[in-house]
Amino acid sequence: MSTRALRRLKGKQRGQEALDAGDLTLDDSPEELLDTASGSPPSDSKGRKAKKNKAQKNFSNIYELIGDADNEADIISPDEEEDKPDENKTSGTEKKDVIEKPDEKQENASTKSSGDRVKKKKKKKKTKVTEGQEAVPDDNIDLILENLEQSNGLGLQNEDCGGSDRRSVLHVEHRNLNSETELKRYFGARAVQGDQRPRQRNRQFHRSTWMTIPKDSWPRFSRPGISMTLLQSKDGIQYFTFEHGRDYQQVQFKFLDAVESMDPNNIVALLQLNPYHIDSLLQLSDVCRIQEDQEMARDLIERAMYSFECAFHPLFSLTSSTSRLDYLRTENRAFYLALYKHMMFLEKRGCPRTALEYCKLILSLDPDSDPLCMLLLIDFLTLRSREYHSLLQLHQEWEEHRNLSQLPNFAFSTALCHFHLSQLEDVDAEESEKERHKADQLLQDALIMFPGVLIPLLDLCTVQPDAAVSSHVFFGPKSQLGQPPALAELTSLYVGRTHSLWREAAVMLWLEESVKEVLRRVDAKDPLVEECQNKRKQRYQSAPRNIHRHVLLSEIKEATSSLPLEVTSQPVMSFDPLPPLDSVMSYTRPERQHVGATNESTLSLFFRSLLPNFNLQGGPRPEDELEVARAGQELNQEVNRLMVAMRDMLANIRFQEPPRDENPYRDEEEWD
């Protein structure tokens, strides 16, 4: 007979009888079980061991709890058992009561212990990864965010491009928005961080942001009055806009007055009272950059971006490429310009990969109209960061509805991408030959379509062209002078920006071979040459406004010199260059009252500040101010006499020549 049945016949149950030293633990041996069943007195050492393992004395088998947890629905709680009628009263035998009561206590004890284990098991189940997702470590935040974005279905289906998925092209990664990520990849974390340890005293706690890292040297942040509103959601795309509060509008009016004064000190005074005013930060950043204070200029731009990010709407996403901002609204333009200026600082700092992410971010805010014409820049940043496949993917997906091959930068950059892919070491010979053949074909087509690129490109690369090339009609000066104005603007922009990518020796040899092949095809009357010539005459007659705006922001000398007269003749404000003609303005600036004549001299304005009634022209005065007007006229006459006397004195001044030394051979080191 088993020990369990023997205990039941004796009316004893393990863990329920009042035993002090005979309680068993999980590691009890079979001999100890038999001793307990026979009722022999335990030793003192076993009693001390049982008291130490008091929490485990009710467990007879550790695997029973696992089975009880799986059958949780079949277990009846002790409260439910108390509510049931007592069946033992109708049994009629004492022995049955003695046997079944310990079983009831055992069931209650096992139910209680199993209930605790079930709760623990439920907590563990919450930490498990759902099906269809990979297990992500807790410390890898980037993979967690990536899985969340995939689970939320942030892929963008745009009806403009025939339902193609733009997420793979314009998708932005959070970790690549921080320039320190790229710098650590190049130089290591210790070299980038250095001794920048956070000080515990007087440390400000800033909001966690993606685009910028707040600095303790910045003024304490207080909301400047900018907010973001969700206008509408359509086909999975959200349309947002920034809004200016009443107080921010008043500061904006003061900023416009400070700009018209042409004095940067007025903007500095305005920033001291409003340290997070966006347009003031952008304008003063340009002033610092002109004065070659690059560190302060970059710091002001980062402060403006931090102010914008603190005003984001909860649904606004930087990385999903489904959030839109209309450039026609005046309040949204400063965000575009802040991102663009920050991107250019990153590119000059040597972070092309981070700059590429910001370029894709700007393009995703309005990919259809592209107000800053980022398609003229994205190829250069992609080549700088060596993301060749992403550029080819963009060209393949957008060529059908945007005609990217008609832009000189894409025509030459795609060929350069295929050439670099053919030079990779981990590519087999067959694939390398295929990429090289594709590169040769694309470069020849680009030279035939845009022959005016070659000679300026060679000049900036300090390469002397061959006489057969420079004297040829196709590549000679006639090809540059005969370009339409819009094409000349695009050509000079591409050459001025990307000429450094063509200075490599291998690239120059490849370009030389392609130029010789193009000349051969031109002399052989290739029909493609005449076809491209007709396309150049029909197209590129006038560039849209966003291309002019991009050229102004790029500040490339070769491109700005080719701007048309209607752009260069009008004033351009750096905080809003070439605003759209159909701008949407939510509030208007009140009209200013112009006091005083516009042709007054500085001296006249000085006396006007002393005497408000002073008037140089002597206009009509009220009768009650005739005496003051006469006094002003007399003062005006005295001032004119004083000015005449000063002119005579300056005209009669004669400067005496210094006396000459009579002894020209005197030693200068001789003491007097």
Side-chain angles (χ1 to χ4, degrees), residues 443-507:
L443 182 58
Q444 293 174 16
D445 294 343
L447 289 172
I448 293 175
M449 183 65 191
F450 308 104
V453 173
L454 180 62
I455 300 301
L457 180 63
L458 295 178
D459 291 342
L460 291 179
C461 293
T462 63
V463 174
Q464 183 67 28
D466 188 62
V469 177
S470 58
S471 61
H472 200 279
V473 180
F474 190 74
F475 288 118
K478 185 178 179 180
S479 63
Q480 302 178 27
L481 298 177
Q483 290 184 124
L487 182 58
E489 186 175 350
L490 293 174
T491 299
S492 56
L493 177 67
Y494 174 74
V495 171
R497 173 174 287 157
T498 61
H499 64 274
S500 60
L501 302 177
W502 295 84
R503 288 182 175 177
E504 299 180 11
V507 176

Side-chain angles (χ1 to χ4, degrees), residues 147-160:
N147 289 337
L148 286 175
E149 291 175 354
Q150 291 177 0
S151 62
N152 292 334
L154 296 178
L156 170 61
Q157 297 289 337
N158 196 332
E159 57 273 2
D160 294 338

Side-chain angles (χ1 to χ4, degrees), residues 250-288:
Q250 300 299 325
V251 178
Q252 188 73 11
F253 298 152
K254 295 179 182 179
F255 165 74
L256 296 177
D257 295 340
V259 171
E260 291 179 356
S261 67
M262 305 297 291
D263 188 1
N265 295 323
N266 295 334
I267 303 178
V268 174
L270 182 63
L271 270 179
Q272 290 178 352
L273 299 177
N274 306 275
Y276 287 93
H277 181 252
I278 303 297
D279 288 340
S280 299
L281 293 170
L282 297 179
Q283 188 74 18
L284 192 60
S285 174
D286 290 340
V287 175
C288 295

Side-chain angles (χ1 to χ4, degrees), residues 400-603:
E400 183 178 355
H401 67 283
R402 299 297 290 269
N403 294 325
L404 297 182
S405 60
Q406 302 302 312
L407 297 174
N409 59 314
F410 267 92
F412 284 91
S413 295
T414 51
L416 196 57
C417 273
H418 284 285
F419 175 77
H420 285 299
L421 289 175
S422 66
Q423 300 296 316
L424 296 179
E425 297 179 356
D426 55 348
V427 179
D428 55 357
E430 183 178 356
E431 185 68 21
S432 177
E433 185 67 23
K434 182 179 178 181
E435 293 290 343
R436 179 60 183 270
H437 178 71
K438 185 69 174 179
D440 295 341
Q441 183 180 0
L442 290 176
L443 182 58
Q444 293 174 16
D445 294 343
L447 289 172
I448 293 175
M449 183 65 191
F450 308 104
V453 173
L454 180 62
I455 300 301
L457 180 63
L458 295 178
D459 291 342
L460 291 179
C461 293
T462 63
V463 174
Q464 183 67 28
D466 188 62
V469 177
S470 58
S471 61
H472 200 279
V473 180
F474 190 74
F475 288 118
K478 185 178 179 180
S479 63
Q480 302 178 27
L481 298 177
Q483 290 184 124
L487 182 58
E489 186 175 350
L490 293 174
T491 299
S492 56
L493 177 67
Y494 174 74
V495 171
R497 173 174 287 157
T498 61
H499 64 274
S500 60
L501 302 177
W502 295 84
R503 288 182 175 177
E504 299 180 11
V507 176
M508 274 296 167
L509 291 176
W510 169 58
L511 178 62
E512 181 181 0
E513 295 175 0
S514 299
V515 168
K516 293 180 180 179
E517 181 64 22
V518 167
L519 290 178
R520 186 192 64 80
R521 294 174 61 179
V522 170
D523 296 338
K525 305 295 182 180
D526 194 327
L528 181 62
V529 178
E530 185 177 359
E531 180 182 353
C532 293
Q533 185 178 1
N534 296 330
K535 289 181 180 179
R536 288 195 301 270
K537 292 180 180 180
Q538 296 175 2
R539 306 171 183 175
Y540 312 107
Q541 295 301 320
S542 61
R545 196 173 181 86
N546 59 342
I547 292 182
H548 298 327
R549 189 182 298 116
H550 178 87
V551 171
L552 289 174
L553 289 174
S554 65
E555 297 182 356
I556 298 176
K557 296 183 297 182
E558 294 81 4
T560 53
S561 60
S562 60
L563 286 171
L565 184 61
E566 62 268 13
V567 176
T568 57
S569 59
Q570 59 178 328
V572 178
M573 299 297 178
S574 60
F575 64 92
D576 190 9
L578 292 182
L581 301 178
D582 52 349
S583 300
V584 178
M585 302 180 65
S586 59
Y587 61 94
T588 57
R589 180 185 180 188
E591 296 182 359
R592 298 182 60 192
Q593 296 180 357
H594 299 280
V595 181
T598 57
N599 56 351
E600 293 185 4
S601 61
T602 305
L603 188 62

Side-chain angles (χ1 to χ4, degrees), residues 141-365:
I141 302 176
D142 301 325
L143 293 179
I144 294 174
L145 292 173
E146 188 173 347
N147 289 337
L148 286 175
E149 291 175 354
Q150 291 177 0
S151 62
N152 292 334
L154 296 178
L156 170 61
Q157 297 289 337
N158 196 332
E159 57 273 2
D160 294 338
C161 44
S164 62
D165 187 9
R166 283 189 182 177
R167 178 189 180 279
S168 58
V169 177
L170 299 182
H171 177 66
V172 179
E173 297 182 6
H174 272 130
R175 61 188 178 92
N176 289 331
L177 291 176
N178 189 358
S179 59
E180 290 188 0
T181 304
E182 186 173 4
L183 293 176
K184 289 177 183 178
R185 191 185 306 131
Y186 296 151
F187 308 106
R190 183 175 299 179
V192 174
Q193 292 179 355
D195 296 333
Q196 299 177 1
R197 298 177 181 177
R199 299 180 179 179
Q200 299 298 330
R201 294 183 178 180
N202 300 328
R203 185 181 178 186
Q204 300 182 17
F205 294 94
H206 300 275
R207 176 180 174 180
S208 178
T209 53
W210 288 108
M211 296 189 296
T212 57
I213 300 177
K215 301 178 182 178
D216 293 336
S217 59
W218 288 358
R220 185 173 296 275
F221 179 76
S222 60
R223 295 191 176 276
I226 299 180
S227 60
M228 179 181 278
T229 305
L230 176 62
L231 296 178
Q232 63 174 344
S233 297
K234 184 179 180 181
D235 298 333
I237 299 177
Q238 292 83 27
Y239 296 87
F240 299 88
T241 183
F242 286 101
E243 291 184 350
H244 294 171
R246 188 176 299 274
D247 295 337
Y248 193 90
Q249 293 178 13
Q250 300 299 325
V251 178
Q252 188 73 11
F253 298 152
K254 295 179 182 179
F255 165 74
L256 296 177
D257 295 340
V259 171
E260 291 179 356
S261 67
M262 305 297 291
D263 188 1
N265 295 323
N266 295 334
I267 303 178
V268 174
L270 182 63
L271 270 179
Q272 290 178 352
L273 299 177
N274 306 275
Y276 287 93
H277 181 252
I278 303 297
D279 288 340
S280 299
L281 293 170
L282 297 179
Q283 188 74 18
L284 192 60
S285 174
D286 290 340
V287 175
C288 295
R289 184 172 51 82
I290 293 173
Q291 296 177 356
E292 297 183 357
D293 190 355
Q294 303 293 332
E295 186 67 25
M296 178 58 68
R298 184 171 64 249
D299 186 79
L300 293 173
I301 295 297
E302 292 179 358
R303 197 195 304 180
M305 294 175 59
Y306 178 75
S307 181
F308 269 124
E309 192 165 1
C310 290
F312 280 173
H313 193 275
L315 297 179
F316 184 79
S317 175
L318 293 171
T319 60
S320 63
S321 68
T322 58
S323 301
R324 299 288 184 268
L325 281 175
D326 192 1
Y327 194 81
L328 297 179
R329 295 182 177 270
T330 310
E331 297 86 347
N332 297 338
R333 296 174 197 163
F335 184 60
Y336 278 88
L337 297 175
L339 291 177
Y340 184 89
K341 294 178 184 296
H342 183 63
M343 175 190 62
M344 298 309 297
F345 279 124
L346 289 172
E347 193 272 329
K348 294 178 181 178
R349 193 182 178 187
C351 301
R353 185 68 181 87
T354 311
L356 176 62
E357 294 298 315
Y358 279 96
C359 182
K360 293 192 293 184
L361 174 59
I362 299 173
L363 184 58
S364 67
L365 294 177

